[in-house]
Amino acid sequence: MFGTITPDMILAILPEISLLVVLAIVFIVDLVLPETRRGILAVITAVGLAATFALTLLYANPGNSAELVWGGMLRHDMLAYVAKLLFIFASFITVLLSVKLDNVWLKGEYYLLLLTSTIGMTLMAASADLVMLFLAIETTSIPLYILAGFMTGDNKSTEAGFKYLLFGAMTTAVMLYGFSLLFGFAGSSNLYVMADAISAGAVPGPVLVGTLVLVLLGLGFKVAIVPMHFWAPDVYEGAPTPVTAFLSTASKAAGFMVLVRVMLASFPNILADWQLMLGILAAASMFIGNVVALTQKNIKRLLAYSGIAHAGYALLGVVAASELGVASVMYYLLVYVVTNMAAFGVVVIVARVTGSDEVEDFAGLQRRSPMLALVLLLAFLSLAGIPPLGGFIAKVLVFAAAVEAGFVWLAVLGVLASIIGLYYYLIVLKVVYLDQPKSEEPVPVERAHGVAILASVLLVLILGVIIAPAYEWAIAAAGSLF
């Protein structure tokens, strides 16, 4: 099936090979180390992820070429390349934020599940075949179900894991049914030959749209857009906070990579139908996410509804279905991942001291730790889309893509939703800067946590001021699809 294995085929899966090596090392070390020295597992995982990032950056770049490899199961292109770097970075920051997290960080299986999920995400981004795509989605999802409920002594964590598993299994079954119908219509499971095969078979438009709805139910769950968003607040609140950060960034970005590739590669024949459908879902996500976030008292639930709204913004680029549209989605995801990592980093640190995720427990954080308050300020202003931070450029790009594609009404709704969103971010910042703290004691910051939030917040600033390098990557990634 694969023929001769060439160097390009190996380079296409270099990140996965490297992650598997790290996973094997962690597994072996976990078996031989005594309980008291298992803190080193976090170091091994973090160093392994950093090495994987460097190897991928240096050797896995496909350049301007894009080719199907491994029997057409994977596509080696810039979209997959940039996405893989993003997932590995998010996984690295998650490991740093997990240090000293109760007893979780001393368990080898925690890192094994995280690495397995990361491998699944890298495969999701490169999948060019329905079979490979389904396997990659499950490789990503199953470890995440377990990670969400990893703190078995915490009822909220157990509930989060169970809910995530239940709803995830249900939507996956629906999506799989959609995949099977697509295969039946096209006679092929390859995403890139599916459109032509469906056209040749002259499948009636309404039937194809119905199949698309089934597929969107599954993919919409992965990116938490309305109305497939109902799981997010409970799971975000109950899961260990570093896992929540990983779920809300890398997992969501992986879902968007699949959404972009599947929509553009397999459904060009019904472009107008799915553009309208996704446009309505984007508007609903932006408004429902932002309006419900206004009432939240728990910061993880607030960030969950914020994430639903941001999924709506990113969806504007998919609706545009143009090179600028895909580039804007890529840039948006880059900014969203680093910004949310910075915000969740502060939540992790404050929660360790206060034992709570309630917004009121962030009162007077500026007096207890001016640097943490500054990080939260920059992260929230970036999420709100305030210049000169990365979130501002990201929003401008998705709105510009929508306008260029003729969806002016959608861009206007996006601007209005952003104004609503600004309000709840400012409420939290008011608590942080103006309210009286319950204690005047400084908030201690672990070195690993400090590195994680420093790296994230610097990227938030860089992506807002030095736009060109990341934008060129985003354009190159988009160009590989057209």
Side-chain angles (χ1 to χ4, degrees):
M1 181 182 179
F2 300 137
T4 305
I5 295 177
T6 63
D8 281 349
M9 293 169 72
I10 299 297
L11 290 178
I13 58 168
L14 182 64
E16 289 81 5
I17 293 172
S18 179
L19 287 169
L20 273 175
V21 171
V22 178
L23 190 147
I25 293 171
V26 172
F27 179 71
I28 293 168
V29 173
D30 183 45
L31 288 177
V32 299
L33 268 185
E35 190 76 30
T36 53
R37 297 187 59 195
R38 289 195 175 166
I40 200 169
L41 292 172
V43 177
I44 294 172
T45 311
V47 170
L49 285 166
T52 302
F53 186 91
L55 278 174
T56 306
L57 185 67
L58 293 174
Y59 299 110
N61 189 336
N64 294 323
S65 64
E67 59 177 335
L68 292 173
V69 294
W70 297 104
M73 302 298 275
L74 299 173
R75 196 163 193 260
H76 188 37
D77 60 15
M78 280 299 289
L79 184 78
Y81 171 71
V82 176
K84 288 178 182 183
L85 288 172
L86 190 60
F87 303 149
I88 296 165
F89 172 80
S91 187
F92 172 73
I93 296 295
T94 303
V95 172
L96 294 184
L97 293 179
S98 303
V99 172
K100 300 291 174 74
L101 176 67
D102 297 330
N103 290 326
V104 168
W105 77 296
L106 298 175
K107 295 184 177 178
E109 56 267 36
Y110 178 79
Y111 303 102
L112 296 177
L113 290 167
L114 191 66
L115 288 167
T116 306
S117 185
T118 307
I119 292 171
M121 289 176 191
T122 60
L123 292 173
M124 277 175 71
S127 292
D129 189 280
L130 288 179
V131 176
M132 186 71 239
L133 180 56
F134 180 72
L135 291 174
I137 289 173
E138 291 307 289
T139 306
T140 301
S141 301
I142 292 172
L144 288 177
Y145 300 150
I146 303 170
L147 285 171
F150 203 81
M151 299 174 76
T152 50
D154 183 337
N155 288 338
K156 282 189 175 179
S157 180
T158 308
E159 180 187 343
F162 183 69
K163 278 187 175 174
Y164 196 29
L165 168 66
L166 192 66
F167 293 131
M170 188 171 61
T171 53
T172 297
V174 173
M175 182 178 66
L176 187 60
Y177 187 56
F179 281 178
S180 65
L181 289 176
L182 278 178
F183 176 71
F185 295 147
S188 169
S189 58
N190 190 285
L191 296 176
Y192 288 88
V193 299
M194 202 173 279
D196 292 338
I198 289 174
S199 298
V203 179
V207 175
L208 197 54
V209 170
T211 305
L212 173 63
V213 170
L214 297 177
V215 174
L216 278 180
L217 277 172
L219 297 181
F221 174 85
K222 302 299 175 195
V223 299
I225 53 173
V226 172
M228 288 77 76
H229 67 289
F230 42 83
W231 59 275
D234 290 343
V235 174
Y236 279 33
E237 184 183 3
T241 306
V243 175
T244 305
F246 191 61
L247 265 175
S248 72
T249 55
S251 177
K252 185 166 289 194
F256 266 104
M257 297 302 167
V258 174
L259 191 63
V260 166
R261 196 185 288 279
V262 169
M263 289 296 111
L264 292 175
S266 303
F267 294 102
N269 300 329
I270 51 170
L271 179 68
D273 293 302
W274 65 255
Q275 279 183 311
L276 179 61
M277 197 183 306
L278 290 183
I280 293 169
L281 294 180
S285 299
M286 289 186 293
F287 276 91
I288 292 176
N290 279 323
V291 170
V292 181
L294 290 171
T295 64
Q296 300 306 311
K297 305 297 181 191
N298 181 287
I299 199 160
K300 288 167 77 175
R301 293 184 72 87
L302 183 145
L303 286 170
Y305 283 106
S306 160
I308 292 163
H310 282 279
Y313 298 130
L315 210 53
L316 297 187
V318 185
V319 172
S322 63
E323 193 164 325
L324 176 60
V326 177
S328 70
V329 175
M330 293 298 296
Y331 201 94
Y332 204 97
L333 294 174
L334 285 171
V335 171
Y336 183 71
V337 167
V338 296
T339 307
N340 249 27
M341 281 295 179
F344 274 108
V346 177
V347 175
V348 167
I349 294 167
V350 174
R352 280 192 67 223
V353 176
T354 63
S356 165
D357 303 319
E358 299 302 312
V359 172
E360 63 183 16
D361 290 309
F362 285 72
L365 179 64
Q366 190 272 338
R367 297 188 194 179
R368 302 182 65 183
S369 178
M371 289 308 295
L372 288 180
L374 180 62
V375 169
L376 203 60
L377 173 74
L378 293 173
F380 274 21
L381 291 184
S382 178
L383 288 172
I386 303 298
L389 302 166
F392 171 71
I393 302 298
K395 277 198 170 73
V396 167
L397 287 175
V398 292
F399 292 159
V403 170
E404 184 197 59
F407 291 92
V408 179
W409 61 274
L410 208 45
V412 171
L413 290 178
V415 172
L416 292 174
S418 297
I419 295 169
I420 298 171
L422 176 61
Y423 184 71
Y424 61 82
Y425 292 125
L426 290 180
I427 288 176
V428 177
L429 293 176
K430 174 251 177 193
V431 171
V432 168
Y433 277 88
L434 300 180
D435 285 7
Q436 289 295 322
K438 295 176 182 175
S439 165
E440 294 286 349
E441 287 185 17
V443 178
V445 179
E446 289 289 333
R447 184 179 299 175
H449 296 168
V451 170
I453 61 173
L454 181 64
S456 301
V457 83
L458 282 177
L459 284 171
V460 172
L461 290 168
I462 289 169
L463 288 170
V465 178
I466 307 172
I467 306 163
Y471 184 68
E472 285 173 6
W473 267 18
I475 284 290
S480 67
L481 290 183
F482 292 92

PDB file of all heavy atoms in Angstrom, residues 199-223:
ATOM      1  N   SER A 199     -19.393  14.451  -7.133  1.00  0.00           N
ATOM      2  CA  SER A 199     -19.949  15.159  -8.293  1.00  0.00           C
ATOM      3  C   SER A 199     -20.282  14.178  -9.405  1.00  0.00           C
ATOM      4  O   SER A 199     -21.328  14.272 -10.052  1.00  0.00           O
ATOM      5  CB  SER A 199     -18.937  16.196  -8.806  1.00  0.00           C
ATOM      6  OG  SER A 199     -18.695  17.150  -7.825  1.00  0.00           O
ATOM      7  N   ALA A 200     -19.344  13.238  -9.650  1.00  0.00           N
ATOM      8  CA  ALA A 200     -19.565  12.260 -10.722  1.00  0.00           C
ATOM      9  C   ALA A 200     -20.789  11.404 -10.439  1.00  0.00           C
ATOM     10  O   ALA A 200     -21.527  11.027 -11.349  1.00  0.00           O
ATOM     11  CB  ALA A 200     -18.322  11.377 -10.867  1.00  0.00           C
ATOM     12  N   GLY A 201     -21.020  11.146  -9.159  1.00  0.00           N
ATOM     13  CA  GLY A 201     -22.185  10.326  -8.792  1.00  0.00           C
ATOM     14  C   GLY A 201     -23.463  11.134  -8.694  1.00  0.00           C
ATOM     15  O   GLY A 201     -24.528  10.577  -8.482  1.00  0.00           O
ATOM     16  N   ALA A 202     -23.339  12.468  -8.847  1.00  0.00           N
ATOM     17  CA  ALA A 202     -24.498  13.365  -8.820  1.00  0.00           C
ATOM     18  C   ALA A 202     -25.397  13.106  -7.608  1.00  0.00           C
ATOM     19  O   ALA A 202     -26.579  12.815  -7.735  1.00  0.00           O
ATOM     20  CB  ALA A 202     -25.284  13.250 -10.110  1.00  0.00           C
ATOM     21  N   VAL A 203     -24.806  13.198  -6.418  1.00  0.00           N
ATOM     22  CA  VAL A 203     -25.600  13.046  -5.191  1.00  0.00           C
ATOM     23  C   VAL A 203     -26.498  14.272  -5.033  1.00  0.00           C
ATOM     24  O   VAL A 203     -26.015  15.404  -5.154  1.00  0.00           O
ATOM     25  CB  VAL A 203     -24.675  12.917  -3.966  1.00  0.00           C
ATOM     26  CG1 VAL A 203     -25.486  12.775  -2.690  1.00  0.00           C
ATOM     27  CG2 VAL A 203     -23.723  11.748  -4.144  1.00  0.00           C
ATOM     28  N   PRO A 204     -27.792  14.116  -4.811  1.00  0.00           N
ATOM     29  CA  PRO A 204     -28.681  15.281  -4.651  1.00  0.00           C
ATOM     30  C   PRO A 204     -28.180  16.204  -3.542  1.00  0.00           C
ATOM     31  O   PRO A 204     -27.726  15.739  -2.484  1.00  0.00           O
ATOM     32  CB  PRO A 204     -30.020  14.643  -4.267  1.00  0.00           C
ATOM     33  CG  PRO A 204     -29.948  13.247  -4.782  1.00  0.00           C
ATOM     34  CD  PRO A 204     -28.509  12.845  -4.680  1.00  0.00           C
ATOM     35  N   GLY A 205     -28.272  17.517  -3.785  1.00  0.00           N
ATOM     36  CA  GLY A 205     -27.783  18.514  -2.827  1.00  0.00           C
ATOM     37  C   GLY A 205     -28.338  18.337  -1.424  1.00  0.00           C
ATOM     38  O   GLY A 205     -27.569  18.330  -0.453  1.00  0.00           O
ATOM     39  N   PRO A 206     -29.679  18.190  -1.266  1.00  0.00           N
ATOM     40  CA  PRO A 206     -30.233  18.053   0.097  1.00  0.00           C
ATOM     41  C   PRO A 206     -29.656  16.857   0.855  1.00  0.00           C
ATOM     42  O   PRO A 206     -29.459  16.921   2.068  1.00  0.00           O
ATOM     43  CB  PRO A 206     -31.737  17.872  -0.154  1.00  0.00           C
ATOM     44  CG  PRO A 206     -31.971  18.531  -1.468  1.00  0.00           C
ATOM     45  CD  PRO A 206     -30.742  18.288  -2.282  1.00  0.00           C
ATOM     46  N   VAL A 207     -29.412  15.748   0.140  1.00  0.00           N
ATOM     47  CA  VAL A 207     -28.853  14.553   0.790  1.00  0.00           C
ATOM     48  C   VAL A 207     -27.432  14.855   1.273  1.00  0.00           C
ATOM     49  O   VAL A 207     -27.038  14.493   2.398  1.00  0.00           O
ATOM     50  CB  VAL A 207     -28.844  13.353  -0.187  1.00  0.00           C
ATOM     51  CG1 VAL A 207     -28.153  12.151   0.457  1.00  0.00           C
ATOM     52  CG2 VAL A 207     -30.255  13.014  -0.603  1.00  0.00           C
ATOM     53  N   LEU A 208     -26.664  15.552   0.420  1.00  0.00           N
ATOM     54  CA  LEU A 208     -25.283  15.884   0.784  1.00  0.00           C
ATOM     55  C   LEU A 208     -25.252  16.866   1.957  1.00  0.00           C
ATOM     56  O   LEU A 208     -24.412  16.754   2.853  1.00  0.00           O
ATOM     57  CB  LEU A 208     -24.582  16.489  -0.435  1.00  0.00           C
ATOM     58  CG  LEU A 208     -23.052  16.524  -0.396  1.00  0.00           C
ATOM     59  CD1 LEU A 208     -22.483  15.141  -0.130  1.00  0.00           C
ATOM     60  CD2 LEU A 208     -22.495  17.085  -1.694  1.00  0.00           C
ATOM     61  N   VAL A 209     -26.182  17.814   1.946  1.00  0.00           N
ATOM     62  CA  VAL A 209     -26.247  18.774   3.064  1.00  0.00           C
ATOM     63  C   VAL A 209     -26.594  18.043   4.364  1.00  0.00           C
ATOM     64  O   VAL A 209     -26.042  18.341   5.430  1.00  0.00           O
ATOM     65  CB  VAL A 209     -27.287  19.880   2.766  1.00  0.00           C
ATOM     66  CG1 VAL A 209     -27.533  20.739   4.006  1.00  0.00           C
ATOM     67  CG2 VAL A 209     -26.819  20.758   1.613  1.00  0.00           C
ATOM     68  N   GLY A 210     -27.513  17.073   4.282  1.00  0.00           N
ATOM     69  CA  GLY A 210     -27.866  16.284   5.465  1.00  0.00           C
ATOM     70  C   GLY A 210     -26.659  15.541   6.010  1.00  0.00           C
ATOM     71  O   GLY A 210     -26.442  15.484   7.231  1.00  0.00           O
ATOM     72  N   THR A 211     -25.852  14.991   5.118  1.00  0.00           N
ATOM     73  CA  THR A 211     -24.628  14.295   5.547  1.00  0.00           C
ATOM     74  C   THR A 211     -23.660  15.273   6.186  1.00  0.00           C
ATOM     75  O   THR A 211     -23.022  14.969   7.201  1.00  0.00           O
ATOM     76  CB  THR A 211     -23.968  13.623   4.325  1.00  0.00           C
ATOM     77  OG1 THR A 211     -24.912  12.784   3.687  1.00  0.00           O
ATOM     78  CG2 THR A 211     -22.765  12.804   4.750  1.00  0.00           C
ATOM     79  N   LEU A 212     -23.577  16.451   5.582  1.00  0.00           N
ATOM     80  CA  LEU A 212     -22.683  17.477   6.126  1.00  0.00           C
ATOM     81  C   LEU A 212     -23.085  17.850   7.553  1.00  0.00           C
ATOM     82  O   LEU A 212     -22.227  18.059   8.426  1.00  0.00           O
ATOM     83  CB  LEU A 212     -22.723  18.716   5.224  1.00  0.00           C
ATOM     84  CG  LEU A 212     -21.970  19.948   5.721  1.00  0.00           C
ATOM     85  CD1 LEU A 212     -20.484  19.650   5.834  1.00  0.00           C
ATOM     86  CD2 LEU A 212     -22.198  21.126   4.793  1.00  0.00           C
ATOM     87  N   VAL A 213     -24.389  17.921   7.810  1.00  0.00           N
ATOM     88  CA  VAL A 213     -24.871  18.258   9.160  1.00  0.00           C
ATOM     89  C   VAL A 213     -24.380  17.221  10.179  1.00  0.00           C
ATOM     90  O   VAL A 213     -23.941  17.572  11.286  1.00  0.00           O
ATOM     91  CB  VAL A 213     -26.408  18.357   9.175  1.00  0.00           C
ATOM     92  CG1 VAL A 213     -26.933  18.461  10.607  1.00  0.00           C
ATOM     93  CG2 VAL A 213     -26.868  19.563   8.363  1.00  0.00           C
ATOM     94  N   LEU A 214     -24.422  15.944   9.796  1.00  0.00           N
ATOM     95  CA  LEU A 214     -23.952  14.889  10.703  1.00  0.00           C
ATOM     96  C   LEU A 214     -22.463  15.055  11.010  1.00  0.00           C
ATOM     97  O   LEU A 214     -22.026  14.928  12.165  1.00  0.00           O
ATOM     98  CB  LEU A 214     -24.201  13.515  10.072  1.00  0.00           C
ATOM     99  CG  LEU A 214     -25.658  13.122   9.814  1.00  0.00           C
ATOM    100  CD1 LEU A 214     -25.722  11.764   9.120  1.00  0.00           C
ATOM    101  CD2 LEU A 214     -26.434  13.081  11.122  1.00  0.00           C
ATOM    102  N   VAL A 215     -21.676  15.358   9.975  1.00  0.00           N
ATOM    103  CA  VAL A 215     -20.234  15.547  10.175  1.00  0.00           C
ATOM    104  C   VAL A 215     -19.976  16.779  11.043  1.00  0.00           C
ATOM    105  O   VAL A 215     -19.131  16.767  11.946  1.00  0.00           O
ATOM    106  CB  VAL A 215     -19.519  15.685   8.808  1.00  0.00           C
ATOM    107  CG1 VAL A 215     -18.044  16.023   9.006  1.00  0.00           C
ATOM    108  CG2 VAL A 215     -19.653  14.396   8.006  1.00  0.00           C
ATOM    109  N   LEU A 216     -20.757  17.840  10.788  1.00  0.00           N
ATOM    110  CA  LEU A 216     -20.563  19.081  11.558  1.00  0.00           C
ATOM    111  C   LEU A 216     -20.918  18.910  13.030  1.00  0.00           C
ATOM    112  O   LEU A 216     -20.342  19.571  13.893  1.00  0.00           O
ATOM    113  CB  LEU A 216     -21.402  20.211  10.961  1.00  0.00           C
ATOM    114  CG  LEU A 216     -20.792  20.937   9.758  1.00  0.00           C
ATOM    115  CD1 LEU A 216     -21.730  22.029   9.278  1.00  0.00           C
ATOM    116  CD2 LEU A 216     -19.435  21.531  10.117  1.00  0.00           C
ATOM    117  N   LEU A 217     -21.862  18.025  13.326  1.00  0.00           N
ATOM    118  CA  LEU A 217     -22.212  17.781  14.733  1.00  0.00           C
ATOM    119  C   LEU A 217     -20.992  17.263  15.500  1.00  0.00           C
ATOM    120  O   LEU A 217     -20.739  17.672  16.645  1.00  0.00           O
ATOM    121  CB  LEU A 217     -23.351  16.769  14.826  1.00  0.00           C
ATOM    122  CG  LEU A 217     -24.767  17.319  14.661  1.00  0.00           C
ATOM    123  CD1 LEU A 217     -25.773  16.191  14.579  1.00  0.00           C
ATOM    124  CD2 LEU A 217     -25.115  18.251  15.829  1.00  0.00           C
ATOM    125  N   GLY A 218     -20.239  16.381  14.859  1.00  0.00           N
ATOM    126  CA  GLY A 218     -19.042  15.842  15.506  1.00  0.00           C
ATOM    127  C   GLY A 218     -17.934  16.871  15.591  1.00  0.00           C
ATOM    128  O   GLY A 218     -17.320  17.064  16.651  1.00  0.00           O
ATOM    129  N   LEU A 219     -17.665  17.558  14.481  1.00  0.00           N
ATOM    130  CA  LEU A 219     -16.569  18.533  14.477  1.00  0.00           C
ATOM    131  C   LEU A 219     -16.930  19.755  15.326  1.00  0.00           C
ATOM    132  O   LEU A 219     -16.061  20.355  15.967  1.00  0.00           O
ATOM    133  CB  LEU A 219     -16.252  18.958  13.037  1.00  0.00           C
ATOM    134  CG  LEU A 219     -15.742  17.832  12.126  1.00  0.00           C
ATOM    135  CD1 LEU A 219     -15.425  18.377  10.728  1.00  0.00           C
ATOM    136  CD2 LEU A 219     -14.500  17.180  12.717  1.00  0.00           C
ATOM    137  N   GLY A 220     -18.223  20.132  15.333  1.00  0.00           N
ATOM    138  CA  GLY A 220     -18.658  21.269  16.161  1.00  0.00           C
ATOM    139  C   GLY A 220     -18.451  21.002  17.636  1.00  0.00           C
ATOM    140  O   GLY A 220     -18.137  21.900  18.416  1.00  0.00           O
ATOM    141  N   PHE A 221     -18.614  19.736  18.050  1.00  0.00           N
ATOM    142  CA  PHE A 221     -18.362  19.355  19.444  1.00  0.00           C
ATOM    143  C   PHE A 221     -16.891  19.581  19.791  1.00  0.00           C
ATOM    144  O   PHE A 221     -16.564  20.066  20.876  1.00  0.00           O
ATOM    145  CB  PHE A 221     -18.749  17.890  19.643  1.00  0.00           C
ATOM    146  CG  PHE A 221     -18.396  17.348  21.003  1.00  0.00           C
ATOM    147  CD1 PHE A 221     -19.256  17.526  22.084  1.00  0.00           C
ATOM    148  CD2 PHE A 221     -17.207  16.662  21.215  1.00  0.00           C
ATOM    149  CE1 PHE A 221     -18.933  17.035  23.339  1.00  0.00           C
ATOM    150  CE2 PHE A 221     -16.881  16.164  22.467  1.00  0.00           C
ATOM    151  CZ  PHE A 221     -17.744  16.352  23.533  1.00  0.00           C
ATOM    152  N   LYS A 222     -16.002  19.228  18.872  1.00  0.00           N
ATOM    153  CA  LYS A 222     -14.565  19.364  19.138  1.00  0.00           C
ATOM    154  C   LYS A 222     -14.167  20.819  19.339  1.00  0.00           C
ATOM    155  O   LYS A 222     -13.250  21.122  20.105  1.00  0.00           O
ATOM    156  CB  LYS A 222     -13.746  18.773  17.984  1.00  0.00           C
ATOM    157  CG  LYS A 222     -14.037  17.311  17.693  1.00  0.00           C
ATOM    158  CD  LYS A 222     -13.742  16.420  18.870  1.00  0.00           C
ATOM    159  CE  LYS A 222     -14.151  14.975  18.603  1.00  0.00           C
ATOM    160  NZ  LYS A 222     -14.207  14.184  19.836  1.00  0.00           N
ATOM    161  N   VAL A 223     -14.807  21.739  18.599  1.00  0.00           N
ATOM    162  CA  VAL A 223     -14.423  23.151  18.719  1.00  0.00           C
ATOM    163  C   VAL A 223     -15.388  23.927  19.621  1.00  0.00           C
ATOM    164  O   VAL A 223     -15.214  25.135  19.814  1.00  0.00           O
ATOM    165  CB  VAL A 223     -14.324  23.834  17.335  1.00  0.00           C
ATOM    166  CG1 VAL A 223     -13.269  23.154  16.483  1.00  0.00           C
ATOM    167  CG2 VAL A 223     -15.660  23.838  16.606  1.00  0.00           C
TER     168      VAL A 223
END
